Amino acid sequence: MLEKIKKIFKPENMMFRMAALNCGLLLLVTVVITGTGNVIYQNSIEESSYANTMEIQNQVLKALDLIFQSVSDNVAALGAAPEFQEYLKVDEQKEQAQRVILESKVRDMLLRYSEHYEDYLNIVTASEKGHYLSNDSYRIQKTPLTREDWYQEALKADGELVLTGNSLGRNLKSWKNYSTDSYVTAVQMVPDTESGKPLGVILVDLDIRSIQNLVEDITMGQTGFSYIQDSQGKVLYAPKNKVVYRMNPEWFSQGDSGQVRCNIEGEMYNVIYSRSSYIDLTAVGVFDWGKTIQGASQVRMASILIAVVIAVFAIVCSVVFAASITKPISKLSRLMKRAQTGDLTVRFDNHYKGEIHQLGDAFNSMVAKTDELLKLVYQEQKHKREAELQILHEQIKPHFLYNTLDTIQWMAKGYHAQDIVDIVLALSNFFRISLSQGKEFISLEQEIAMVKSYLDIQKFRYEELFDYEVWTDPAILKCQVPRLSLQPLIENALYHGIKESEREHGTIWIRVYPEGEDSVVLKVEDNGAGMTEERCRQLNQWFAQKERMAEVDAFGSLNVNDRVRMFYGEEYGLHYYLREGGGVIAELRIKRSK
């Protein structure tokens, strides 16, 4: 028996050589496959961690951008209100009575905003003339707020929203004694709506919980976390972790995004950062690199041991193991691509364990929070729009106005001033129809009567400057239209067309007629100064846009267009044409309704 065994293991024995060759090749293939599989596994974990972390951080930054964009829009809307503009311009020494009236109105506006937007802990407005108002704070010293650093930063930003640094030491004190760590301060310059020159600055202290809610539930791996910092390296929000305050802000200065591997107190950490494109904030993700690749190291040792014991089993296990890793990652990648295209209903069927389970949970949480944030932003935009319309409607107190006009009319009759009687009657009719007891829709007949009253008033004012002609199809006079649909267009034709024209006498034509069975066209035409083709094209582009990132200078026309599109859909709205021979044609298409 011993001799037979010696013969088998002799080098010249064919069985030994074949067995050795097969075993050697099998072992080599097993080692290569196992080693390659482990390298691929480690790289895929790193790439997936990076991609997933970047995706989460980008979604968080987008949500932050939406929050601060909403703050900027609200501040712009507040600053553009007529009462607000007048308050910032008023001279408190020469116009004391007017200042008191405007101060009351502006204070009411600040209180309404702070009640509607609960995240706005404090709203302060300071004018170039030195006076200020707030819903929740007072000036500590008599030094004008215009000397404050945050005020100067807002002026330098030229109308853009700016996050200021530490609020310690500023000349403001909250009545509710909010901690300086409980809010982040944003400031924005308020321009004159006519000249564009700075009138003042609005400061908003935003509750830090609006940022905390985005970040606190995000986890990366077993011990990873995320935090937010500003351009000076100040941490706006971070979970309790000693590693946060050992981060060097210079690590995040190389580009808008990237990753850094660093050694902190003997532990290797992988740090991934991404900078916001709108507001100067950086989202930073930190996770322990050793613990992230710990699973891969254990798998590699086990694979080597299995390769030594039994090569065939190692090959089968490596193939099965690789498939168990790549399949869920590929599935998660496909779901991420669907989410990027806007499908936020996707969810990862997470029956896996370990890092894949954590990645799946993080993805599901990210998609759900993104969907929730988008719905929240939509509701905020809708509420903001309704609030703006409500503010416009409440600027005139109908009963007081009617009684006053009626008194003026009777006094004019007593003095036999028939021209004053006529213009007061036209003004009374105009306001009565334009207000319409708060109704959003009125009949086309009432809308035409209202614009006739408006034009009659302007005829009294400008005498022989212009004439007007109105033609309507009697069959559609009972159709319902949004209130104040025509008046802004006619006002534009008069002030930007007729008055700016070199003609001594102009004409405004108003034509209303049905188009097909479902539409009504309201057309306002003038032979005034007109506009350039570029300006006409720019206005029509604005009319077609749902959201406008920059401030625009056609508030009346855009208001009419946006209301019509909101009521009837995107196929309806306003469009401008250049008129042959000079002038402009404004064509408003609405849905025909009874």
Side-chain angles (χ1 to χ4, degrees), residues 482-510:
R483 178 162 48 90
L484 292 173
S485 295
L486 277 173
Q487 189 272 335
L489 306 182
I490 295 172
E491 183 174 343
N492 286 343
L494 176 60
Y495 283 92
H496 301 296
I498 302 300
K499 286 190 65 180
E500 295 182 4
S501 173
E502 296 179 358
R503 298 175 187 265
E504 293 183 0
H505 187 83
T507 305
I508 298 175
W509 295 274
I510 304 166

PDB file of all heavy atoms in Angstrom, residues 482-510:
ATOM      1  N   PRO A 482     -62.909  85.830 -15.096  1.00  0.00           N
ATOM      2  CA  PRO A 482     -62.231  86.254 -13.863  1.00  0.00           C
ATOM      3  C   PRO A 482     -62.274  87.777 -13.737  1.00  0.00           C
ATOM      4  O   PRO A 482     -62.028  88.505 -14.702  1.00  0.00           O
ATOM      5  CB  PRO A 482     -60.792  85.762 -14.047  1.00  0.00           C
ATOM      6  CG  PRO A 482     -60.887  84.666 -15.043  1.00  0.00           C
ATOM      7  CD  PRO A 482     -62.002  85.045 -15.959  1.00  0.00           C
ATOM      8  N   ARG A 483     -62.619  88.231 -12.573  1.00  0.00           N
ATOM      9  CA  ARG A 483     -62.708  89.670 -12.329  1.00  0.00           C
ATOM     10  C   ARG A 483     -61.350  90.351 -12.567  1.00  0.00           C
ATOM     11  O   ARG A 483     -60.304  89.789 -12.290  1.00  0.00           O
ATOM     12  CB  ARG A 483     -63.176  89.886 -10.891  1.00  0.00           C
ATOM     13  CG  ARG A 483     -63.289  91.315 -10.433  1.00  0.00           C
ATOM     14  CD  ARG A 483     -64.175  91.410  -9.185  1.00  0.00           C
ATOM     15  NE  ARG A 483     -63.807  90.428  -8.191  1.00  0.00           N
ATOM     16  CZ  ARG A 483     -62.910  90.627  -7.224  1.00  0.00           C
ATOM     17  NH1 ARG A 483     -62.320  91.787  -7.127  1.00  0.00           N
ATOM     18  NH2 ARG A 483     -62.625  89.683  -6.352  1.00  0.00           N
ATOM     19  N   LEU A 484     -61.402  91.580 -13.145  1.00  0.00           N
ATOM     20  CA  LEU A 484     -60.205  92.371 -13.455  1.00  0.00           C
ATOM     21  C   LEU A 484     -59.302  91.672 -14.473  1.00  0.00           C
ATOM     22  O   LEU A 484     -58.070  91.629 -14.337  1.00  0.00           O
ATOM     23  CB  LEU A 484     -59.411  92.689 -12.173  1.00  0.00           C
ATOM     24  CG  LEU A 484     -60.079  93.640 -11.182  1.00  0.00           C
ATOM     25  CD1 LEU A 484     -59.274  93.734  -9.903  1.00  0.00           C
ATOM     26  CD2 LEU A 484     -60.270  95.018 -11.784  1.00  0.00           C
ATOM     27  N   SER A 485     -59.931  91.071 -15.501  1.00  0.00           N
ATOM     28  CA  SER A 485     -59.153  90.463 -16.574  1.00  0.00           C
ATOM     29  C   SER A 485     -58.721  91.485 -17.614  1.00  0.00           C
ATOM     30  O   SER A 485     -57.621  91.396 -18.161  1.00  0.00           O
ATOM     31  CB  SER A 485     -59.983  89.356 -17.246  1.00  0.00           C
ATOM     32  OG  SER A 485     -60.226  88.299 -16.353  1.00  0.00           O
ATOM     33  N   LEU A 486     -59.597  92.453 -17.924  1.00  0.00           N
ATOM     34  CA  LEU A 486     -59.315  93.415 -18.987  1.00  0.00           C
ATOM     35  C   LEU A 486     -58.623  94.684 -18.492  1.00  0.00           C
ATOM     36  O   LEU A 486     -57.806  95.275 -19.206  1.00  0.00           O
ATOM     37  CB  LEU A 486     -60.619  93.805 -19.701  1.00  0.00           C
ATOM     38  CG  LEU A 486     -61.115  92.848 -20.797  1.00  0.00           C
ATOM     39  CD1 LEU A 486     -62.484  93.266 -21.278  1.00  0.00           C
ATOM     40  CD2 LEU A 486     -60.133  92.815 -21.951  1.00  0.00           C
ATOM     41  N   GLN A 487     -58.964  95.152 -17.298  1.00  0.00           N
ATOM     42  CA  GLN A 487     -58.484  96.457 -16.841  1.00  0.00           C
ATOM     43  C   GLN A 487     -56.952  96.589 -16.845  1.00  0.00           C
ATOM     44  O   GLN A 487     -56.426  97.602 -17.316  1.00  0.00           O
ATOM     45  CB  GLN A 487     -59.045  96.758 -15.450  1.00  0.00           C
ATOM     46  CG  GLN A 487     -58.794  98.185 -14.961  1.00  0.00           C
ATOM     47  CD  GLN A 487     -57.451  98.300 -14.233  1.00  0.00           C
ATOM     48  OE1 GLN A 487     -56.944  97.326 -13.705  1.00  0.00           O
ATOM     49  NE2 GLN A 487     -56.877  99.496 -14.238  1.00  0.00           N
ATOM     50  N   PRO A 488     -56.165  95.596 -16.353  1.00  0.00           N
ATOM     51  CA  PRO A 488     -54.706  95.747 -16.420  1.00  0.00           C
ATOM     52  C   PRO A 488     -54.187  95.865 -17.850  1.00  0.00           C
ATOM     53  O   PRO A 488     -53.222  96.583 -18.104  1.00  0.00           O
ATOM     54  CB  PRO A 488     -54.188  94.471 -15.740  1.00  0.00           C
ATOM     55  CG  PRO A 488     -55.310  94.030 -14.851  1.00  0.00           C
ATOM     56  CD  PRO A 488     -56.554  94.377 -15.600  1.00  0.00           C
ATOM     57  N   LEU A 489     -54.825  95.153 -18.803  1.00  0.00           N
ATOM     58  CA  LEU A 489     -54.379  95.214 -20.191  1.00  0.00           C
ATOM     59  C   LEU A 489     -54.685  96.592 -20.786  1.00  0.00           C
ATOM     60  O   LEU A 489     -53.883  97.152 -21.536  1.00  0.00           O
ATOM     61  CB  LEU A 489     -55.063  94.114 -21.002  1.00  0.00           C
ATOM     62  CG  LEU A 489     -54.926  92.692 -20.454  1.00  0.00           C
ATOM     63  CD1 LEU A 489     -55.595  91.697 -21.377  1.00  0.00           C
ATOM     64  CD2 LEU A 489     -53.460  92.334 -20.282  1.00  0.00           C
ATOM     65  N   ILE A 490     -55.859  97.147 -20.444  1.00  0.00           N
ATOM     66  CA  ILE A 490     -56.217  98.480 -20.940  1.00  0.00           C
ATOM     67  C   ILE A 490     -55.315  99.538 -20.310  1.00  0.00           C
ATOM     68  O   ILE A 490     -54.897 100.495 -20.968  1.00  0.00           O
ATOM     69  CB  ILE A 490     -57.707  98.754 -20.650  1.00  0.00           C
ATOM     70  CG1 ILE A 490     -58.581  97.777 -21.447  1.00  0.00           C
ATOM     71  CG2 ILE A 490     -58.072 100.184 -20.973  1.00  0.00           C
ATOM     72  CD1 ILE A 490     -60.038  97.819 -21.094  1.00  0.00           C
ATOM     73  N   GLU A 491     -55.001  99.366 -19.046  1.00  0.00           N
ATOM     74  CA  GLU A 491     -54.100 100.312 -18.386  1.00  0.00           C
ATOM     75  C   GLU A 491     -52.722 100.303 -19.050  1.00  0.00           C
ATOM     76  O   GLU A 491     -52.119 101.360 -19.272  1.00  0.00           O
ATOM     77  CB  GLU A 491     -53.970  99.967 -16.918  1.00  0.00           C
ATOM     78  CG  GLU A 491     -53.099 100.949 -16.136  1.00  0.00           C
ATOM     79  CD  GLU A 491     -53.117 100.649 -14.641  1.00  0.00           C
ATOM     80  OE1 GLU A 491     -54.024  99.926 -14.204  1.00  0.00           O
ATOM     81  OE2 GLU A 491     -52.233 101.147 -13.944  1.00  0.00           O
ATOM     82  N   ASN A 492     -52.219  99.115 -19.417  1.00  0.00           N
ATOM     83  CA  ASN A 492     -50.943  99.030 -20.129  1.00  0.00           C
ATOM     84  C   ASN A 492     -51.028  99.727 -21.483  1.00  0.00           C
ATOM     85  O   ASN A 492     -50.099 100.427 -21.905  1.00  0.00           O
ATOM     86  CB  ASN A 492     -50.546  97.569 -20.328  1.00  0.00           C
ATOM     87  CG  ASN A 492     -50.059  96.941 -19.037  1.00  0.00           C
ATOM     88  OD1 ASN A 492     -49.719  97.649 -18.093  1.00  0.00           O
ATOM     89  ND2 ASN A 492     -50.022  95.622 -18.980  1.00  0.00           N
ATOM     90  N   ALA A 493     -52.156  99.520 -22.204  1.00  0.00           N
ATOM     91  CA  ALA A 493     -52.320 100.146 -23.517  1.00  0.00           C
ATOM     92  C   ALA A 493     -52.309 101.669 -23.396  1.00  0.00           C
ATOM     93  O   ALA A 493     -51.745 102.369 -24.252  1.00  0.00           O
ATOM     94  CB  ALA A 493     -53.623  99.667 -24.153  1.00  0.00           C
ATOM     95  N   LEU A 494     -52.921 102.199 -22.326  1.00  0.00           N
ATOM     96  CA  LEU A 494     -52.987 103.649 -22.151  1.00  0.00           C
ATOM     97  C   LEU A 494     -51.636 104.225 -21.722  1.00  0.00           C
ATOM     98  O   LEU A 494     -51.121 105.160 -22.345  1.00  0.00           O
ATOM     99  CB  LEU A 494     -54.072 103.991 -21.116  1.00  0.00           C
ATOM    100  CG  LEU A 494     -54.210 105.473 -20.736  1.00  0.00           C
ATOM    101  CD1 LEU A 494     -54.535 106.307 -21.969  1.00  0.00           C
ATOM    102  CD2 LEU A 494     -55.277 105.651 -19.665  1.00  0.00           C
ATOM    103  N   TYR A 495     -51.046 103.647 -20.645  1.00  0.00           N
ATOM    104  CA  TYR A 495     -49.852 104.259 -20.066  1.00  0.00           C
ATOM    105  C   TYR A 495     -48.574 103.935 -20.844  1.00  0.00           C
ATOM    106  O   TYR A 495     -47.685 104.777 -20.959  1.00  0.00           O
ATOM    107  CB  TYR A 495     -49.694 103.823 -18.608  1.00  0.00           C
ATOM    108  CG  TYR A 495     -50.644 104.552 -17.679  1.00  0.00           C
ATOM    109  CD1 TYR A 495     -51.890 104.003 -17.396  1.00  0.00           C
ATOM    110  CD2 TYR A 495     -50.303 105.772 -17.114  1.00  0.00           C
ATOM    111  CE1 TYR A 495     -52.761 104.657 -16.549  1.00  0.00           C
ATOM    112  CE2 TYR A 495     -51.181 106.437 -16.272  1.00  0.00           C
ATOM    113  CZ  TYR A 495     -52.419 105.873 -15.987  1.00  0.00           C
ATOM    114  OH  TYR A 495     -53.283 106.522 -15.172  1.00  0.00           O
ATOM    115  N   HIS A 496     -48.466 102.707 -21.354  1.00  0.00           N
ATOM    116  CA  HIS A 496     -47.248 102.320 -22.066  1.00  0.00           C
ATOM    117  C   HIS A 496     -47.398 102.439 -23.575  1.00  0.00           C
ATOM    118  O   HIS A 496     -46.406 102.317 -24.288  1.00  0.00           O
ATOM    119  CB  HIS A 496     -46.857 100.886 -21.707  1.00  0.00           C
ATOM    120  CG  HIS A 496     -46.616 100.692 -20.242  1.00  0.00           C
ATOM    121  ND1 HIS A 496     -45.607 101.324 -19.561  1.00  0.00           N
ATOM    122  CD2 HIS A 496     -47.281  99.943 -19.319  1.00  0.00           C
ATOM    123  CE1 HIS A 496     -45.639 100.982 -18.294  1.00  0.00           C
ATOM    124  NE2 HIS A 496     -46.648 100.138 -18.109  1.00  0.00           N
ATOM    125  N   GLY A 497     -48.613 102.640 -24.042  1.00  0.00           N
ATOM    126  CA  GLY A 497     -48.831 102.758 -25.468  1.00  0.00           C
ATOM    127  C   GLY A 497     -49.187 104.164 -25.883  1.00  0.00           C
ATOM    128  O   GLY A 497     -48.398 104.882 -26.513  1.00  0.00           O
ATOM    129  N   ILE A 498     -50.394 104.626 -25.522  1.00  0.00           N
ATOM    130  CA  ILE A 498     -50.893 105.929 -25.965  1.00  0.00           C
ATOM    131  C   ILE A 498     -50.048 107.075 -25.399  1.00  0.00           C
ATOM    132  O   ILE A 498     -49.617 107.979 -26.117  1.00  0.00           O
ATOM    133  CB  ILE A 498     -52.370 106.098 -25.568  1.00  0.00           C
ATOM    134  CG1 ILE A 498     -53.228 104.968 -26.180  1.00  0.00           C
ATOM    135  CG2 ILE A 498     -52.894 107.453 -26.012  1.00  0.00           C
ATOM    136  CD1 ILE A 498     -53.209 104.901 -27.667  1.00  0.00           C
ATOM    137  N   LYS A 499     -49.807 107.052 -24.075  1.00  0.00           N
ATOM    138  CA  LYS A 499     -49.100 108.175 -23.445  1.00  0.00           C
ATOM    139  C   LYS A 499     -47.654 108.291 -23.912  1.00  0.00           C
ATOM    140  O   LYS A 499     -47.113 109.394 -23.992  1.00  0.00           O
ATOM    141  CB  LYS A 499     -49.127 108.027 -21.922  1.00  0.00           C
ATOM    142  CG  LYS A 499     -50.479 108.330 -21.286  1.00  0.00           C
ATOM    143  CD  LYS A 499     -50.360 108.402 -19.763  1.00  0.00           C
ATOM    144  CE  LYS A 499     -49.470 109.572 -19.362  1.00  0.00           C
ATOM    145  NZ  LYS A 499     -49.338 109.659 -17.887  1.00  0.00           N
ATOM    146  N   GLU A 500     -47.010 107.169 -24.210  1.00  0.00           N
ATOM    147  CA  GLU A 500     -45.612 107.208 -24.627  1.00  0.00           C
ATOM    148  C   GLU A 500     -45.453 107.372 -26.137  1.00  0.00           C
ATOM    149  O   GLU A 500     -44.344 107.390 -26.652  1.00  0.00           O
ATOM    150  CB  GLU A 500     -44.906 105.938 -24.165  1.00  0.00           C
ATOM    151  CG  GLU A 500     -44.819 105.832 -22.652  1.00  0.00           C
ATOM    152  CD  GLU A 500     -44.080 104.590 -22.204  1.00  0.00           C
ATOM    153  OE1 GLU A 500     -43.574 103.877 -23.080  1.00  0.00           O
ATOM    154  OE2 GLU A 500     -44.026 104.360 -20.992  1.00  0.00           O
ATOM    155  N   SER A 501     -46.576 107.466 -26.850  1.00  0.00           N
ATOM    156  CA  SER A 501     -46.522 107.605 -28.306  1.00  0.00           C
ATOM    157  C   SER A 501     -46.296 109.065 -28.693  1.00  0.00           C
ATOM    158  O   SER A 501     -46.616 109.997 -27.952  1.00  0.00           O
ATOM    159  CB  SER A 501     -47.827 107.096 -28.926  1.00  0.00           C
ATOM    160  OG  SER A 501     -47.862 107.362 -30.313  1.00  0.00           O
ATOM    161  N   GLU A 502     -45.766 109.275 -29.882  1.00  0.00           N
ATOM    162  CA  GLU A 502     -45.569 110.611 -30.412  1.00  0.00           C
ATOM    163  C   GLU A 502     -46.830 111.159 -31.078  1.00  0.00           C
ATOM    164  O   GLU A 502     -46.874 112.310 -31.484  1.00  0.00           O
ATOM    165  CB  GLU A 502     -44.411 110.616 -31.422  1.00  0.00           C
ATOM    166  CG  GLU A 502     -43.069 110.262 -30.793  1.00  0.00           C
ATOM    167  CD  GLU A 502     -41.930 110.249 -31.807  1.00  0.00           C
ATOM    168  OE1 GLU A 502     -42.211 110.482 -32.998  1.00  0.00           O
ATOM    169  OE2 GLU A 502     -40.783 110.016 -31.394  1.00  0.00           O
ATOM    170  N   ARG A 503     -47.858 110.327 -31.187  1.00  0.00           N
ATOM    171  CA  ARG A 503     -49.118 110.782 -31.769  1.00  0.00           C
ATOM    172  C   ARG A 503     -49.787 111.776 -30.816  1.00  0.00           C
ATOM    173  O   ARG A 503     -49.705 111.640 -29.591  1.00  0.00           O
ATOM    174  CB  ARG A 503     -50.070 109.600 -31.986  1.00  0.00           C
ATOM    175  CG  ARG A 503     -49.561 108.541 -32.954  1.00  0.00           C
ATOM    176  CD  ARG A 503     -50.555 107.373 -32.989  1.00  0.00           C
ATOM    177  NE  ARG A 503     -50.081 106.259 -33.765  1.00  0.00           N
ATOM    178  CZ  ARG A 503     -50.386 106.068 -35.052  1.00  0.00           C
ATOM    179  NH1 ARG A 503     -51.194 106.946 -35.671  1.00  0.00           N
ATOM    180  NH2 ARG A 503     -49.923 105.023 -35.702  1.00  0.00           N
ATOM    181  N   GLU A 504     -50.500 112.730 -31.389  1.00  0.00           N
ATOM    182  CA  GLU A 504     -51.254 113.667 -30.558  1.00  0.00           C
ATOM    183  C   GLU A 504     -52.556 113.042 -30.063  1.00  0.00           C
ATOM    184  O   GLU A 504     -53.096 113.460 -29.041  1.00  0.00           O
ATOM    185  CB  GLU A 504     -51.560 114.935 -31.367  1.00  0.00           C
ATOM    186  CG  GLU A 504     -50.322 115.743 -31.718  1.00  0.00           C
ATOM    187  CD  GLU A 504     -50.661 117.027 -32.464  1.00  0.00           C
ATOM    188  OE1 GLU A 504     -51.867 117.281 -32.702  1.00  0.00           O
ATOM    189  OE2 GLU A 504     -49.732 117.762 -32.780  1.00  0.00           O
ATOM    190  N   HIS A 505     -53.059 112.061 -30.801  1.00  0.00           N
ATOM    191  CA  HIS A 505     -54.341 111.448 -30.427  1.00  0.00           C
ATOM    192  C   HIS A 505     -54.276 109.956 -30.763  1.00  0.00           C
ATOM    193  O   HIS A 505     -53.848 109.580 -31.864  1.00  0.00           O
ATOM    194  CB  HIS A 505     -55.485 112.108 -31.208  1.00  0.00           C
ATOM    195  CG  HIS A 505     -56.845 111.637 -30.744  1.00  0.00           C
ATOM    196  ND1 HIS A 505     -57.481 112.187 -29.653  1.00  0.00           N
ATOM    197  CD2 HIS A 505     -57.660 110.679 -31.225  1.00  0.00           C
ATOM    198  CE1 HIS A 505     -58.652 111.582 -29.489  1.00  0.00           C
ATOM    199  NE2 HIS A 505     -58.774 110.660 -30.438  1.00  0.00           N
ATOM    200  N   GLY A 506     -54.633 109.123 -29.817  1.00  0.00           N
ATOM    201  CA  GLY A 506     -54.594 107.680 -30.028  1.00  0.00           C
ATOM    202  C   GLY A 506     -55.961 107.045 -29.853  1.00  0.00           C
ATOM    203  O   GLY A 506     -56.928 107.692 -29.444  1.00  0.00           O
ATOM    204  N   THR A 507     -55.989 105.749 -30.160  1.00  0.00           N
ATOM    205  CA  THR A 507     -57.245 104.993 -30.065  1.00  0.00           C
ATOM    206  C   THR A 507     -56.970 103.644 -29.422  1.00  0.00           C
ATOM    207  O   THR A 507     -55.941 102.995 -29.698  1.00  0.00           O
ATOM    208  CB  THR A 507     -57.874 104.768 -31.455  1.00  0.00           C
ATOM    209  OG1 THR A 507     -58.039 106.026 -32.096  1.00  0.00           O
ATOM    210  CG2 THR A 507     -59.227 104.071 -31.323  1.00  0.00           C
ATOM    211  N   ILE A 508     -57.913 103.223 -28.560  1.00  0.00           N
ATOM    212  CA  ILE A 508     -57.873 101.886 -27.948  1.00  0.00           C
ATOM    213  C   ILE A 508     -59.116 101.136 -28.411  1.00  0.00           C
ATOM    214  O   ILE A 508     -60.240 101.630 -28.275  1.00  0.00           O
ATOM    215  CB  ILE A 508     -57.830 101.974 -26.421  1.00  0.00           C
ATOM    216  CG1 ILE A 508     -56.563 102.683 -25.957  1.00  0.00           C
ATOM    217  CG2 ILE A 508     -57.914 100.578 -25.804  1.00  0.00           C
ATOM    218  CD1 ILE A 508     -56.501 102.919 -24.457  1.00  0.00           C
ATOM    219  N   TRP A 509     -58.899  99.942 -28.985  1.00  0.00           N
ATOM    220  CA  TRP A 509     -60.006  99.104 -29.442  1.00  0.00           C
ATOM    221  C   TRP A 509     -60.122  97.887 -28.528  1.00  0.00           C
ATOM    222  O   TRP A 509     -59.120  97.226 -28.222  1.00  0.00           O
ATOM    223  CB  TRP A 509     -59.772  98.617 -30.873  1.00  0.00           C
ATOM    224  CG  TRP A 509     -59.744  99.704 -31.903  1.00  0.00           C
ATOM    225  CD1 TRP A 509     -60.789 100.254 -32.567  1.00  0.00           C
ATOM    226  CD2 TRP A 509     -58.568 100.367 -32.398  1.00  0.00           C
ATOM    227  NE1 TRP A 509     -60.364 101.214 -33.446  1.00  0.00           N
ATOM    228  CE2 TRP A 509     -58.991 101.312 -33.365  1.00  0.00           C
ATOM    229  CE3 TRP A 509     -57.210 100.268 -32.128  1.00  0.00           C
ATOM    230  CZ2 TRP A 509     -58.118 102.135 -34.045  1.00  0.00           C
ATOM    231  CZ3 TRP A 509     -56.336 101.080 -32.802  1.00  0.00           C
ATOM    232  CH2 TRP A 509     -56.777 102.015 -33.752  1.00  0.00           C
ATOM    233  N   ILE A 510     -61.360  97.612 -28.108  1.00  0.00           N
ATOM    234  CA  ILE A 510     -61.633  96.440 -27.259  1.00  0.00           C
ATOM    235  C   ILE A 510     -62.635  95.568 -28.003  1.00  0.00           C
ATOM    236  O   ILE A 510     -63.748  96.019 -28.314  1.00  0.00           O
ATOM    237  CB  ILE A 510     -62.198  96.863 -25.893  1.00  0.00           C
ATOM    238  CG1 ILE A 510     -61.232  97.836 -25.200  1.00  0.00           C
ATOM    239  CG2 ILE A 510     -62.475  95.649 -25.029  1.00  0.00           C
ATOM    240  CD1 ILE A 510     -61.833  98.552 -24.018  1.00  0.00           C
TER     241      ILE A 510
END
